[in-house]
Amino acid sequence: MLTSRTFLKRTRAGSVLKVVREHYLRDDIPCGAAACPLCPPRPDGGPSVLEERPSGAASSLCPGPHYLLPDTNLLLHQIDILEDPVIKNVIVLQTVLQEVRNRSAPVYKRIRDVIGNPEKHFYSFTNEHHRETYVEQEQGESSNDRNDRAIRVAVKWYNEHLKKMQNEEIQVIFLTNDRNNKEKALEEGITAYTCEEYIKSLIANPDLVDRLACISDEGKEIESGKIIFPEHLPLSKLQQGIKSGIYLQGTYRASRDNYLEATVWVHGDAEENKEIIIQGLKHLNRAVHEDIVAVELLAKDEWVAPSSVVLQDDGQNEDDVEIEEEKENILKTSDNKSMLRPTGKVVGIIKRNWRPFCGMLSKSQIKEARRHLFTPADRRIPRIRIETRQADTLEGQRIIVAIDGWPRNSRYPNGHFVKNLGSAGDKETETEVLLLEHDVPHQPFSQAVLSFLPKMPWSITEKDMKYREDLRHLCVCSVDPPGCTDIDDALHCREMENGNLEVGVHIADVSHFIRPGNALDEESAKRGTTVYLCEKRIDMVPELLSSNLCSLRSNVDRLAFSCIWEMNHNAEILKTRFTKSVINSKASLTYAEAQMRIDSATMNDDITVSLRGLNKLAKILKKKRIDNGALTLSSPEVRFHMDSETHDPIDLQTKELKETNSMVEEFMLLANVSVAQKIYDEFPEFALLRKHPAPPPSNYDILVKAAKSKNLEIKTDSAKALAESLDKAESPAFPYLNTLLRILTTRCMMQAVYFCSGMDSDFHHYGLASPIYTHFTSPIRRYADIIVHRLLAVAIGADSTYPELTDKHKLSDLCKNLNYRHKMAQYAQRASVAFHTQLFFKTKGVVNEDAYILFVRKNAIVVLIPKYGLEGTVFFEEKDKPTPRLDYNNEVPSLTVEDTTLHVFDKVKVNIMLDASNIQHQKIRMVLVEPKIPGNDVSAQFSTVMSSNSEPEKKKKKLQE
């Protein structure tokens, strides 16, 4: 049966257009219930989804067998409940799915995953195309009301339809939190409950109540307590204001160090007011990190400077807003006019970016209380108020909580408990928290993904050889860190008959195994990168590829993508060619083993001769690069030595880089530049490239001032000038100064990013001083390289193209995801190092070490300990202790504590130990020992920490009893 929908649409030119859409209605859409004799089998031939005898939780409200049918709002807000294994046999209407899709992509993905899980028995019913459940929109009826009516019609139809089944009668229960919809349903004879009523009626699952989202009616939210926050403007007003320029739209970024301050990064290309400071509770106005907000700029005389004060929300003064106002006054102490920045206030939220947050319960002091505060692990997220009956069980555990709303009269947002992850401090639990907090996809690969892997035993076939060169005769070898199983790259170097050198970089041919558009490809694209934690690797591709078929291990045939140059002995490239190939690596070496071969006077075999040739050329290439203006920066990398049984760190050292590290790096850079040029020549609009923007001059202020304080001049007008002035910035009396300057320079840099050549005009890579660059050499661990391989394969005629590869908008979206995943992987790696550093110091007591000052703040100094590559903050303001006299000078920069002045780069001595007084935010605590500051009693500070460290132990014992 055919029906048509007619609606009017205004065109850009302003004329009104009548649009008629054909809408097909059918009789043959099954209801999804098992053993239904009236419905035809499913079109896909699959089994019925809803169980014949519905299993799941028993309810005191509806003891008989029943299916559930939720409305849109219930699905949007109570997805945590619906995902629980207890909830089964749920009918999800097409009307509801479409609305959810339009309103929340993350919830839509979650409900699709639940529908796809056969154990949950969720059935998606196409009610909009079923002859008996489709409803026309009536005159004067809103879309919302029409959809509510369509849902009620579907519930009624189901109940009538299921009555006709021969065996016991199954009822369909309508779940809605909408008061009007529920009343109408009851009037129409439908059994309807709110989510809370139904969940509280479940006999054997009282804990499920904790997972209920706390939804307050907007009108009722001001029942108690005074209003703390201004009202958020409605979306329509915000959009008008943004259009007319009254408000600015941007991404809200909360501060890690100061909970009363945030910045909003304004969207768009305007040069001025790119970054707006927000200060004070009322101006922050309930925005949460990463929300899209609308901001109103304050008058210039109300502008403030970024605060140098470190303020953590200790949650002691939950509803005492006066104390918050006192703290706000501390922020407004800058009298330096040059430091003032555009300042604003949040007037409304355009898009919430709430996600489930990991953290711990701060149990209420009130006995038998159900309301408690949850403290997120991420300091940028506010505490969240939740209701739970399991507070005693959850104390000391890492849990996940979701935010439901933030009323105007509440100091903190309201939320609900989602999941318990395990005991805080436990290595497995903390790794899980770390991965969840950095949004690292780490679930095991699904069967759908694994089904696209090659069948074992695998071997190279004649078909595989069609567009390949056989390079198995070459003396190829790989050089990697010890224990590396995902070997991406291998090298060779040999003398040619004409006296020149042939040099080859051979990269694993991952794109041969991962074909565009299949589930394996989509999963790899979503993950974007392999994440390396201290003792765990989260692979981008399944292990069969990463550690076996794609890994260029020695003495096995492997498929590769080769970049081969003819060079003279001055490392000048005479010819470049690219080919898909088959190689057989003759040795898998570590950096140390390769170095030993190069240095050995007795070894002269083919592999060693090849390595010496590569090393000689690499030194020339590096010198050329540096002469060209490439930067050699420094950041201390840490290596842990693990106990073989407990896997706890027993030693901590900074990594020592050998000549062979640099050798491999030079040829990888050269291959990346050569490939970038080739794919850009072939595809000027669709090349996936990587750029490193030059930092704005203001980024270098801290570096220039710090160098000046040591009578050194750093020039920053170009990368070459910066590189040369860093080379000259030596102090014979202070050899480590140059390393410190390079570490500080790294902090001034911008993030390197992937981009599509057709969407950008600035390709330059500042750090490498290269006009063009891409990533080609690590396709096992980076998805960007897989795309680059595909582009290069099409360019040399070794593979066919596909539509997404030449769609610059799709490539641009892909780059956004890759940039996000790479940034998150970097943060997760740092967090893993921080956690293992804490484990290392846990058993060490107090350690005394030399340190250098990297930054000075108003009330603290940030120091670096070269021995451990460890950075930490020494605070001079202690809670419940008299604050010493502090004088901060931003120009020098220096901090005077009592009569002792501390400058950037000063050498100091600190005591280091683990402060476990806050079990969630365990931290490395540092106290200044030298120079000695009067009134700064080191031993007293450490005895306080020691005694508070033992308190969690007592609590643990109590819990165990």
Side-chain angles (χ1 to χ4, degrees):
M1 176 184 161
L2 183 65
T3 180
S4 60
R5 286 161 141 181
T6 307
F7 55 93
L8 302 174
K9 179 181 168 187
R10 191 178 289 280
T11 65
R12 277 188 179 170
S15 54
V16 175
L17 200 68
K18 186 177 180 183
V19 180
V20 179
R21 286 249 172 94
E22 290 183 338
H23 189 81
Y24 289 89
L25 298 179
R26 302 168 55 163
D27 294 318
D28 59 350
I29 297 170
C31 69
C36 174
L38 308 168
C39 289
R42 280 171 57 178
D44 58 6
S48 297
V49 178
L50 301 164
E51 293 178 296
E52 188 175 350
R53 293 170 192 272
S55 63
S59 160
S60 57
L61 279 176
C62 27
H66 57 271
Y67 301 144
L68 300 174
L69 195 152
D71 71 357
T72 308
N73 279 329
L74 194 127
L75 205 148
L76 280 167
H77 298 299
Q78 306 290 356
I79 182 71
D80 288 323
I81 290 279
L82 294 171
E83 282 178 331
D84 194 279
V86 165
I87 304 298
K88 295 180 177 179
N89 293 292
V90 175
I91 299 159
V92 184
L93 298 180
Q94 181 189 3
T95 311
V96 170
L97 264 183
Q98 282 170 347
E99 277 197 276
V100 168
R101 187 180 193 168
N102 293 336
R103 286 168 61 183
S104 170
V107 174
Y108 179 72
K109 188 190 177 307
R110 285 169 72 181
I111 195 65
R112 294 275 4 156
D113 288 347
V114 174
I115 292 168
N117 177 357
E119 289 171 17
K120 290 281 287 167
H121 301 286
F122 272 50
Y123 178 61
S124 170
F125 178 62
T126 321
N127 65 308
E128 294 290 353
H129 289 277
H130 194 290
R131 192 203 295 264
E132 293 183 51
T133 57
Y134 172 71
V135 299
E136 289 275 5
Q137 188 167 349
E138 291 171 357
Q139 209 169 353
E141 186 179 39
S142 70
S143 302
N144 208 21
D145 288 344
R146 179 259 166 212
N147 287 347
D148 284 349
R149 187 162 60 85
I151 295 168
R152 293 195 302 275
V153 165
V155 179
K156 269 206 289 205
W157 176 83
Y158 255 105
N159 277 320
E160 291 298 318
H161 179 79
L162 295 176
K163 272 181 192 167
K164 296 169 188 168
M165 282 168 59
Q166 269 84 44
N167 52 7
E168 60 184 314
E169 196 175 298
I170 296 173
Q171 198 179 9
V172 173
I173 308 289
F174 179 38
L175 294 184
T176 178
N177 284 340
D178 180 327
R179 203 180 306 129
N180 291 343
N181 206 3
K182 187 186 169 192
E183 281 169 11
K184 282 180 183 168
L186 293 170
E187 280 168 21
E188 293 170 19
I190 295 168
T191 308
Y193 298 114
T194 65
C195 192
E196 194 172 344
E197 286 168 344
Y198 180 75
I199 295 304
K200 284 183 174 173
S201 79
L202 299 182
I203 297 157
N205 303 86
D207 292 350
L208 204 52
V209 175
D210 287 353
R211 299 186 70 175
L212 277 168
C214 160
I215 307 296
S216 63
D217 281 350
E218 288 297 312
K220 288 177 18 191
E221 69 177 30
I222 305 159
E223 286 172 357
S224 62
K226 65 178 185 182
I227 295 169
I228 301 170
F229 298 101
E231 200 167 352
H232 285 152
L233 297 178
L235 198 55
S236 55
K237 271 197 180 162
L238 296 179
Q239 284 164 339
Q240 278 172 0
I242 289 162
K243 215 172 183 180
S244 61
I246 302 169
Y247 307 134
L248 297 166
Q249 176 176 327
T251 305
Y252 178 92
R253 302 264 163 84
S255 162
R256 253 196 190 88
D257 298 324
N258 186 340
Y259 73 100
L260 291 174
E261 185 171 282
T263 45
V264 170
W265 289 81
V266 177
H267 301 167
D269 303 323
E271 280 305 305
E272 55 175 32
N273 302 339
K274 274 304 278 178
E275 195 181 327
I276 295 170
I277 291 182
I278 317 283
Q279 250 182 33
L281 212 56
K282 289 185 171 62
H283 286 170
L284 298 173
N285 197 4
R286 298 170 285 158
V288 175
H289 184 63
E290 293 288 351
D291 282 351
I292 309 290
V293 298
V295 172
E296 184 179 354
L297 271 179
L298 300 178
K300 276 202 172 177
D301 58 356
E302 293 182 70
W303 285 13
V304 296
S307 162
S308 302
V309 179
V310 178
L311 277 182
Q312 306 288 357
D313 179 9
D314 51 20
Q316 301 300 314
N317 40 291
E318 186 181 330
D319 290 310
D320 196 342
V321 181
E322 280 74 21
I323 293 177
E324 302 288 4
E325 283 164 5
E326 273 174 43
K327 287 188 181 177
E328 285 172 27
N329 292 330
I330 301 171
L331 307 183
K332 295 167 184 155
T333 51
S334 174
D335 32 35
N336 185 342
K337 288 276 179 282
S338 68
M339 296 295 287
L340 298 180
R341 296 277 185 274
T343 308
K345 61 179 182 182
V346 174
V347 291
I349 310 290
I350 291 160
K351 183 175 180 282
R352 286 291 193 191
N353 200 19
W354 294 343
R355 58 179 175 84
F357 300 105
C358 298
M360 293 181 74
L361 199 66
S362 307
K363 198 176 157 208
S364 169
Q365 301 303 309
I366 305 161
K367 218 178 172 198
E368 302 296 315
R370 281 190 185 173
R371 301 184 86 189
H372 308 271
L373 275 181
F374 161 83
T375 307
D378 186 341
R379 289 194 186 275
R380 294 168 301 186
I381 306 298
R383 288 160 185 256
I384 302 163
R385 192 182 279 110
I386 68 166
E387 282 195 33
T388 177
R389 294 161 174 72
Q390 314 174 58
D392 291 338
T393 320
L394 296 179
E395 206 178 2
Q397 302 286 298
R398 288 280 198 178
I399 63 173
I400 297 179
V401 160
I403 298 182
D404 298 323
W406 196 339
R408 287 174 61 200
N409 62 329
S410 171
R411 169 68 184 81
Y412 297 112
N414 294 326
H416 65 276
F417 167 76
V418 176
K419 188 181 178 187
N420 183 358
L421 294 172
S423 298
D426 172 73
K427 208 182 302 180
E428 289 297 311
T429 305
E430 293 303 329
T431 303
E432 179 72 9
V433 168
L434 190 149
L435 294 169
L436 287 167
E437 277 301 288
H438 294 96
D439 195 14
V440 174
H442 60 285
Q443 308 74 14
F445 289 100
S446 69
Q447 276 312 117
V449 169
L450 298 174
S451 68
F452 286 97
L453 291 175
K455 302 289 173 277
M456 296 300 283
W458 174 85
S459 60
I460 296 169
T461 64
E462 225 170 282
K463 189 183 166 196
D464 295 336
M465 292 301 294
K466 196 173 177 190
Y467 297 105
R468 283 180 198 279
E469 270 187 57
D470 192 339
L471 303 180
R472 284 177 282 201
H473 60 284
L474 291 177
C475 184
V476 171
C477 68
S478 62
V479 185
D480 289 282
C484 176
T485 60
D486 52 344
I487 303 171
D488 281 294
D489 52 89
L491 300 155
H492 90 273
C493 173
R494 64 173 181 174
E495 196 154 331
M496 299 169 72
E497 286 173 7
N498 62 7
N500 289 331
L501 296 168
E502 180 189 83
V503 177
V505 165
H506 311 276
I507 305 298
D509 188 3
V510 182
S511 64
H512 173 85
F513 296 98
I514 299 181
R515 302 310 296 163
N518 68 24
L520 176 56
D521 182 45
E522 283 172 3
E523 182 66 23
S524 309
K526 179 183 138 194
R527 294 185 179 220
T529 178
T530 291
V531 181
Y532 294 90
L533 304 182
C534 288
E535 47 172 334
K536 191 175 187 175
R537 191 179 81 198
I538 314 296
D539 281 326
M540 179 184 85
V541 298
E543 195 180 7
L544 178 66
L545 296 182
S546 67
S547 298
N548 187 349
L549 302 185
C550 290
S551 185
L552 304 180
R553 304 187 308 194
S554 54
N555 304 314
V556 286
D557 292 351
R558 287 289 176 259
L559 302 180
F561 211 145
S562 302
C563 173
I564 298 167
W565 302 280
E566 183 179 333
M567 289 182 179
N568 62 23
H569 287 264
N570 294 328
E572 290 163 340
I573 298 171
L574 308 171
K575 276 186 197 160
T576 307
R577 69 189 184 90
F578 306 98
T579 178
K580 288 220 170 190
S581 60
V582 180
I583 63 163
N584 187 304
S585 170
K586 303 298 178 271
S588 304
L589 306 172
T590 64
Y591 290 117
E593 287 166 350
Q595 192 66 54
M596 197 181 70
R597 279 173 176 264
I598 290 167
D599 297 341
S600 165
T602 55
M603 296 183 83
N604 286 303
D605 57 283
D606 289 351
I607 293 168
T608 308
V609 170
S610 177
L611 285 169
R612 284 188 190 133
L614 289 165
N615 199 36
K616 196 173 156 194
L617 291 169
K619 285 178 182 174
I620 303 168
L621 288 168
K622 186 170 187 177
K623 185 178 182 308
K624 278 187 195 167
R625 234 172 20 86
I626 288 166
D627 291 347
N628 208 15
L631 295 171
T632 312
L633 299 179
S634 182
S635 62
E637 280 200 69
V638 179
R639 188 178 198 90
F640 293 96
H641 293 273
M642 301 293 184
D643 182 297
S644 57
E645 299 213 346
T646 62
H647 295 286
D648 283 343
I650 46 175
D651 195 10
L652 174 58
Q653 296 169 339
T654 46
K655 286 183 188 171
E656 183 197 346
L657 295 178
K658 297 193 163 31
E659 225 176 54
T660 42
N661 289 71
S662 180
M663 175 189 85
V664 173
E665 185 187 3
E666 285 309 316
F667 286 107
M668 296 307 116
L669 293 175
L670 191 63
N672 286 336
V673 171
S674 297
V675 171
Q677 196 58 60
K678 176 71 177 173
I679 61 172
Y680 177 62
D681 290 345
E682 288 287 332
F683 305 107
E685 290 286 296
F686 319 118
L688 191 153
L689 302 175
R690 187 165 176 82
K691 69 172 177 176
H692 182 215
S698 61
N699 276 31
Y700 288 124
D701 288 353
I702 180 84
L703 174 70
V704 173
K705 284 178 187 171
K708 197 177 168 189
S709 72
K710 295 287 181 232
N711 300 316
L712 295 168
E713 187 188 8
I714 297 286
K715 291 183 178 152
T716 61
D717 31 354
S718 71
K720 190 169 172 58
L722 176 62
E724 284 171 358
S725 54
L726 279 171
D727 287 341
K728 286 180 195 155
E730 296 280 357
S731 165
F734 187 1
Y736 196 66
L737 177 63
N738 192 265
T739 306
L740 286 170
L741 282 166
R742 289 180 195 277
I743 289 169
L744 206 50
T745 309
T746 308
R747 307 297 166 86
C748 302
M749 290 297 141
M750 305 291 280
Q751 191 82 33
V753 289
Y754 296 111
F755 69 101
C756 172
S757 59
M759 304 288 276
D760 212 319
S761 53
D762 171 26
F763 294 7
H764 193 76
H765 196 293
Y766 180 79
L768 297 172
S770 175
I772 192 164
Y773 192 66
T774 193
H775 272 164
F776 163 75
T777 54
S778 295
I780 295 177
R781 59 188 176 89
R782 290 188 307 231
Y783 188 77
D785 303 51
I786 293 179
I787 295 293
V788 169
H789 276 226
R790 288 174 183 168
L791 287 164
L792 185 61
V794 175
I796 64 168
D799 207 342
S800 52
T801 186
Y802 59 99
E804 283 79 8
L805 196 62
T806 51
D807 181 331
K808 61 183 181 182
H809 297 286
K810 288 237 169 82
L811 274 176
S812 197
D813 287 344
L814 177 72
C815 287
K816 273 184 197 154
N817 179 54
L818 294 178
N819 291 330
Y820 170 70
R821 292 292 181 208
H822 277 262
K823 185 173 72 176
M824 283 314 194
Q826 219 175 0
Y827 292 160
Q829 282 152 10
R830 283 181 206 161
S832 180
V833 168
F835 174 62
H836 280 79
T837 307
Q838 288 168 12
L839 285 180
F840 172 71
F841 281 105
K842 198 174 188 175
T843 54
K844 292 281 178 283
V846 180
V847 179
N848 182 280
E849 284 297 341
D850 288 340
Y852 294 97
I853 299 176
L854 270 186
F855 303 101
V856 291
R857 303 274 186 252
K858 273 190 180 173
N859 58 348
I861 56 172
V862 177
V863 298
L864 174 78
I865 294 151
K867 181 176 173 183
Y868 299 126
L870 179 65
E871 211 176 290
T873 307
V874 177
F875 289 98
F876 295 109
E877 287 181 333
E878 289 286 323
K879 211 173 165 192
D880 309 324
K881 297 229 172 70
T883 300
R885 197 171 69 253
L886 298 171
D887 182 17
Y888 171 69
N889 182 338
N890 180 53
E891 286 307 307
V892 177
S894 69
L895 177 67
T896 305
V897 186
E898 294 296 339
D899 298 316
T900 308
T901 302
L902 302 165
H903 296 89
V904 171
F905 300 150
D906 280 0
K907 188 176 184 180
V908 294
K909 260 200 181 329
V910 293
N911 276 349
I912 317 160
M913 68 162 298
L914 180 70
D915 177 358
S917 55
N918 176 340
I919 192 165
Q920 157 139 283
H921 290 124
Q922 292 193 26
K923 54 180 182 261
I924 301 295
R925 172 91 168 256
M926 295 189 187
V927 174
L928 194 64
V929 180
E930 279 176 33
K932 190 159 176 35
I933 290 166
N936 185 32
D937 187 349
V938 176
S939 56
Q941 289 190 43
F942 275 108
S943 61
T944 312
V945 174
M946 282 299 198
S947 62
S948 58
N949 277 2
S950 59
E951 276 172 32
E953 292 302 319
K954 289 178 199 165
K955 269 187 187 168
K956 274 185 206 161
K957 277 180 193 161
K958 254 187 199 169
L959 284 173
Q960 283 159 5
E961 286 161 18

